[in-house]
Amino acid sequence: MGRPPRRDLDQCSFCESNLKVNLRLCNECQIWNIEEHVFTCKNQADVNLDALSYVKPPEPLRGKTVPGLDRFEDLNYISAEEYGARRTCMLCREIYHGTLMKKLQIDEGAEVRLSPVRPFAAGKLLFDLKNKGEPRGQSPYTVECVLPIILEQRFGNTSNEEGSAAAVAYSTFTIELILSYDHDGQSLLEVTPWDRSFFNTNFIKKWLSYCQEAHDYDCNETVAPMSLPSGFRLIDTLKRCVIIPPMLK
Protein backbone atom coordinates (compact mmCIF):
# COMPACT_ATOMS: atom_id res chain seq x y z
CA MET A 1 0.00 0.00 0.00
CA GLY A 2 1.81 3.09 -1.23
CA ARG A 3 1.03 6.72 -0.44
CA PRO A 4 -2.62 7.19 -1.49
CA PRO A 5 -3.64 9.93 -3.92
CA ARG A 6 -4.79 13.14 -2.27
CA ARG A 7 -8.55 13.55 -2.08
CA ASP A 8 -10.82 16.33 -0.85
CA LEU A 9 -11.05 14.80 2.60
CA ASP A 10 -9.96 15.61 6.11
CA GLN A 11 -6.19 15.86 6.34
CA CYS A 12 -4.42 12.97 8.04
CA SER A 13 -1.49 13.86 10.29
CA PHE A 14 0.12 10.50 9.57
CA CYS A 15 -0.08 10.88 5.78
CA GLU A 16 1.60 14.28 5.98
CA SER A 17 4.25 13.40 8.59
CA ASN A 18 7.54 11.55 8.44
CA LEU A 19 6.71 8.11 9.72
CA LYS A 20 9.11 6.15 11.87
CA VAL A 21 10.89 3.70 9.55
CA ASN A 22 10.30 0.01 10.18
CA LEU A 23 13.15 -2.01 8.68
CA ARG A 24 10.92 -5.08 8.43
CA LEU A 25 8.52 -3.30 6.07
CA CYS A 26 9.12 -2.20 2.48
CA ASN A 27 8.69 1.45 1.50
CA GLU A 28 5.10 0.96 0.32
CA CYS A 29 4.05 -0.78 3.54
CA GLN A 30 5.49 1.75 6.01
CA ILE A 31 2.06 3.21 6.78
CA TRP A 32 1.15 -0.14 8.40
CA ASN A 33 3.59 0.72 11.17
CA ILE A 34 0.97 2.77 13.06
CA GLU A 35 -2.21 0.97 14.05
CA GLU A 36 -4.42 4.05 14.16
CA HIS A 37 -3.41 5.07 10.63
CA VAL A 38 -4.04 1.61 9.15
CA PHE A 39 -7.59 1.30 10.46
CA THR A 40 -8.90 4.88 10.51
CA CYS A 41 -7.15 7.05 7.89
CA LYS A 42 -9.77 8.81 5.74
CA ASN A 43 -7.27 9.34 2.93
CA GLN A 44 -6.91 5.65 2.06
CA ALA A 45 -7.30 5.06 -1.67
CA ASP A 46 -10.21 2.66 -1.09
CA VAL A 47 -12.34 5.21 0.75
CA ASN A 48 -15.07 5.13 -1.92
CA LEU A 49 -15.17 1.36 -2.40
CA ASP A 50 -18.47 -0.28 -1.54
CA ALA A 51 -17.95 -2.78 1.29
CA LEU A 52 -20.42 -5.16 -0.39
CA SER A 53 -17.98 -5.43 -3.29
CA TYR A 54 -15.70 -7.42 -1.01
CA VAL A 55 -18.22 -10.22 -0.62
CA LYS A 56 -19.89 -10.01 -4.03
CA PRO A 57 -17.32 -9.65 -6.82
CA PRO A 58 -18.27 -7.21 -9.59
CA GLU A 59 -19.04 -8.39 -13.09
CA PRO A 60 -15.87 -8.74 -15.21
CA LEU A 61 -14.93 -5.76 -17.32
CA ARG A 62 -14.34 -6.89 -20.89
CA GLY A 63 -12.76 -4.18 -23.04
CA LYS A 64 -14.81 -1.24 -21.75
CA THR A 65 -15.59 0.42 -18.43
CA VAL A 66 -18.86 -0.53 -16.76
CA PRO A 67 -20.54 2.40 -14.93
CA GLY A 68 -20.12 2.14 -11.19
CA LEU A 69 -17.12 -0.20 -11.31
CA ASP A 70 -14.36 2.14 -12.49
CA ARG A 71 -13.32 2.73 -8.85
CA PHE A 72 -11.35 -0.53 -8.95
CA GLU A 73 -9.18 0.93 -11.69
CA ASP A 74 -8.04 3.73 -9.37
CA LEU A 75 -6.18 1.42 -6.99
CA ASN A 76 -2.46 0.70 -7.08
CA TYR A 77 -1.83 -2.84 -8.33
CA ILE A 78 1.32 -4.94 -7.95
CA SER A 79 2.04 -8.30 -9.55
CA ALA A 80 1.87 -11.41 -7.39
CA GLU A 81 5.47 -12.20 -8.36
CA GLU A 82 6.63 -8.85 -6.97
CA TYR A 83 4.93 -9.55 -3.65
CA GLY A 84 6.75 -12.88 -3.57
CA ALA A 85 10.07 -11.17 -4.27
CA ARG A 86 9.71 -8.83 -1.28
CA ARG A 87 10.92 -11.43 1.18
CA THR A 88 12.21 -8.90 3.71
CA CYS A 89 8.80 -7.22 4.10
CA MET A 90 6.74 -9.12 6.66
CA LEU A 91 3.45 -7.80 5.26
CA CYS A 92 4.13 -8.44 1.56
CA ARG A 93 5.35 -11.91 2.46
CA GLU A 94 2.08 -12.78 4.21
CA ILE A 95 0.00 -11.25 1.40
CA TYR A 96 1.85 -13.46 -1.09
CA HIS A 97 1.54 -16.66 0.95
CA GLY A 98 -2.05 -15.86 1.93
CA THR A 99 -2.93 -15.44 -1.75
CA LEU A 100 -1.34 -18.79 -2.62
CA MET A 101 -3.30 -20.51 0.13
CA LYS A 102 -6.57 -19.31 -1.41
CA LYS A 103 -5.91 -21.39 -4.57
CA LEU A 104 -7.64 -18.81 -6.73
CA GLN A 105 -9.04 -19.62 -10.15
CA ILE A 106 -6.71 -17.75 -12.51
CA ASP A 107 -7.40 -17.71 -16.24
CA GLU A 108 -4.56 -19.11 -18.33
CA GLY A 109 -2.43 -16.42 -19.92
CA ALA A 110 -3.77 -13.62 -17.71
CA GLU A 111 -1.51 -10.99 -16.21
CA VAL A 112 -2.36 -11.05 -12.49
CA ARG A 113 -1.98 -8.09 -10.15
CA LEU A 114 -3.14 -7.50 -6.58
CA SER A 115 -4.26 -4.47 -4.60
CA PRO A 116 -4.82 -4.80 -0.82
CA VAL A 117 -7.25 -2.29 0.61
CA ARG A 118 -8.15 -1.24 4.16
CA PRO A 119 -8.23 -4.10 6.71
CA PHE A 120 -11.23 -4.66 8.95
CA ALA A 121 -10.45 -5.30 12.63
CA ALA A 122 -12.28 -8.16 14.36
CA GLY A 123 -11.81 -6.83 17.89
CA LYS A 124 -11.23 -3.60 19.79
CA LEU A 125 -8.44 -1.33 18.59
CA LEU A 126 -5.84 0.28 20.79
CA PHE A 127 -6.84 3.85 19.93
CA ASP A 128 -10.42 3.01 21.01
CA LEU A 129 -9.10 1.97 24.40
CA LYS A 130 -7.04 5.16 24.61
CA ASN A 131 -10.04 7.36 23.86
CA LYS A 132 -12.11 5.60 26.52
CA GLY A 133 -9.35 5.89 29.10
CA GLU A 134 -9.18 2.13 29.64
CA PRO A 135 -5.96 0.74 31.13
CA ARG A 136 -3.37 -0.70 28.75
CA GLY A 137 -0.52 -3.05 29.50
CA GLN A 138 3.11 -2.80 28.45
CA SER A 139 3.14 -6.00 26.41
CA PRO A 140 2.75 -6.31 22.60
CA TYR A 141 -0.77 -5.70 21.37
CA THR A 142 -2.40 -7.88 18.69
CA VAL A 143 -5.21 -7.12 16.23
CA GLU A 144 -6.99 -9.84 14.28
CA CYS A 145 -8.13 -8.45 10.94
CA VAL A 146 -9.58 -9.37 7.57
CA LEU A 147 -7.76 -7.83 4.62
CA PRO A 148 -9.80 -7.51 1.38
CA ILE A 149 -7.75 -7.80 -1.80
CA ILE A 150 -8.79 -6.84 -5.32
CA LEU A 151 -7.56 -9.28 -7.96
CA GLU A 152 -7.01 -7.83 -11.43
CA GLN A 153 -6.61 -10.07 -14.48
CA ARG A 154 -5.57 -8.62 -17.85
CA PHE A 155 -5.84 -10.63 -21.03
CA GLY A 156 -3.94 -8.57 -23.61
CA ASN A 157 -5.74 -6.68 -26.38
CA THR A 158 -9.21 -7.36 -27.70
CA SER A 159 -11.25 -5.59 -30.36
CA ASN A 160 -14.55 -3.91 -29.60
CA GLU A 161 -16.73 -1.14 -30.98
CA GLU A 162 -14.43 1.51 -29.51
CA GLY A 163 -11.25 0.01 -30.92
CA SER A 164 -8.55 -2.13 -29.35
CA ALA A 165 -8.43 -2.35 -25.55
CA ALA A 166 -7.19 -4.68 -22.87
CA ALA A 167 -9.78 -7.08 -21.45
CA VAL A 168 -9.84 -6.71 -17.68
CA ALA A 169 -11.62 -8.76 -15.02
CA TYR A 170 -11.80 -7.80 -11.35
CA SER A 171 -12.69 -10.11 -8.48
CA THR A 172 -12.26 -9.99 -4.72
CA PHE A 173 -11.04 -12.24 -1.94
CA THR A 174 -9.81 -11.83 1.62
CA ILE A 175 -6.92 -13.05 3.72
CA GLU A 176 -6.85 -13.14 7.51
CA LEU A 177 -3.93 -11.67 9.45
CA ILE A 178 -2.81 -11.03 13.01
CA LEU A 179 -0.96 -7.73 13.40
CA SER A 180 1.27 -7.50 16.49
CA TYR A 181 2.10 -3.94 17.62
CA ASP A 182 4.13 -2.57 20.48
CA HIS A 183 2.19 -1.60 23.60
CA ASP A 184 1.39 1.85 22.20
CA GLY A 185 0.46 0.81 18.65
CA GLN A 186 3.32 2.84 17.15
CA SER A 187 5.45 0.02 15.75
CA LEU A 188 4.41 -3.12 13.87
CA LEU A 189 6.37 -6.03 15.34
CA GLU A 190 5.03 -9.05 13.47
CA VAL A 191 2.49 -10.16 10.86
CA THR A 192 1.22 -13.75 11.03
CA PRO A 193 -1.66 -15.70 9.46
CA TRP A 194 -4.90 -15.78 11.44
CA ASP A 195 -6.27 -19.32 11.53
CA ARG A 196 -10.04 -18.79 11.56
CA SER A 197 -10.85 -22.49 11.58
CA PHE A 198 -10.93 -22.07 15.36
CA PHE A 199 -13.27 -19.32 16.56
CA ASN A 200 -12.48 -17.34 19.70
CA THR A 201 -15.66 -17.53 21.80
CA ASN A 202 -14.48 -14.52 23.79
CA PHE A 203 -15.44 -12.39 20.77
CA ILE A 204 -19.09 -13.46 21.10
CA LYS A 205 -19.05 -12.71 24.83
CA LYS A 206 -17.62 -9.24 24.18
CA TRP A 207 -20.15 -8.52 21.41
CA LEU A 208 -23.09 -9.58 23.59
CA SER A 209 -21.76 -7.62 26.55
CA TYR A 210 -21.32 -4.47 24.47
CA CYS A 211 -24.80 -4.87 22.99
CA GLN A 212 -26.35 -5.14 26.46
CA GLU A 213 -24.46 -2.09 27.71
CA ALA A 214 -24.69 0.26 24.71
CA HIS A 215 -27.80 -0.74 22.71
CA ASP A 216 -31.51 -0.56 23.40
CA TYR A 217 -34.38 -2.61 22.00
CA ASP A 218 -33.87 -1.07 18.55
CA CYS A 219 -30.89 -3.40 18.25
CA ASN A 220 -33.34 -6.21 17.47
CA GLU A 221 -34.81 -4.38 14.49
CA THR A 222 -33.57 -5.49 11.07
CA VAL A 223 -31.76 -2.80 9.08
CA ALA A 224 -32.45 -4.38 5.67
CA PRO A 225 -34.88 -6.92 4.17
CA MET A 226 -33.82 -10.43 5.03
CA SER A 227 -34.41 -13.65 3.12
CA LEU A 228 -33.46 -16.73 5.13
CA PRO A 229 -33.19 -20.25 3.70
CA SER A 230 -35.68 -22.91 4.70
CA GLY A 231 -34.59 -24.71 7.83
CA PHE A 232 -32.53 -21.77 9.14
CA ARG A 233 -32.34 -21.71 12.94
CA LEU A 234 -30.98 -19.42 15.67
CA ILE A 235 -29.60 -19.98 19.15
CA ASP A 236 -31.58 -18.28 21.91
CA THR A 237 -28.81 -17.20 24.30
CA LEU A 238 -31.28 -16.54 27.15
CA LYS A 239 -33.28 -19.78 26.96
CA ARG A 240 -30.19 -21.68 25.76
CA CYS A 241 -31.98 -23.53 22.99
CA VAL A 242 -32.36 -23.60 19.20
CA ILE A 243 -35.35 -21.65 17.89
CA ILE A 244 -37.08 -20.83 14.62
CA PRO A 245 -36.43 -17.18 13.60
CA PRO A 246 -39.56 -15.03 14.10
CA MET A 247 -39.54 -13.97 10.43
CA LEU A 248 -39.95 -17.65 9.39
CA LYS A 249 -42.90 -18.37 11.67
Side-chain angles (χ1 to χ4, degrees), residues 177-194:
L177 300 172
I178 298 178
L179 307 180
S180 298
Y181 287 92
D182 65 359
H183 72 281
D184 209 27
Q186 299 297 300
S187 180
L188 183 60
L189 305 176
E190 189 177 20
V191 182
T192 56
W194 175 21

Side-chain angles (χ1 to χ4, degrees), residues 80-117:
E81 291 76 14
E82 186 171 347
Y83 275 110
R86 297 179 179 182
R87 302 179 186 276
T88 59
C89 177
M90 54 184 168
L91 181 63
C92 288
R93 186 169 60 242
E94 291 303 328
I95 291 176
Y96 177 70
H97 290 302
T99 300
L100 292 181
M101 292 296 292
K102 291 297 180 178
K103 298 180 180 179
L104 303 172
Q105 296 295 324
I106 306 297
D107 290 350
E108 185 176 356
E111 177 187 351
V112 178
R113 300 194 302 172
L114 309 173
S115 180
V117 290

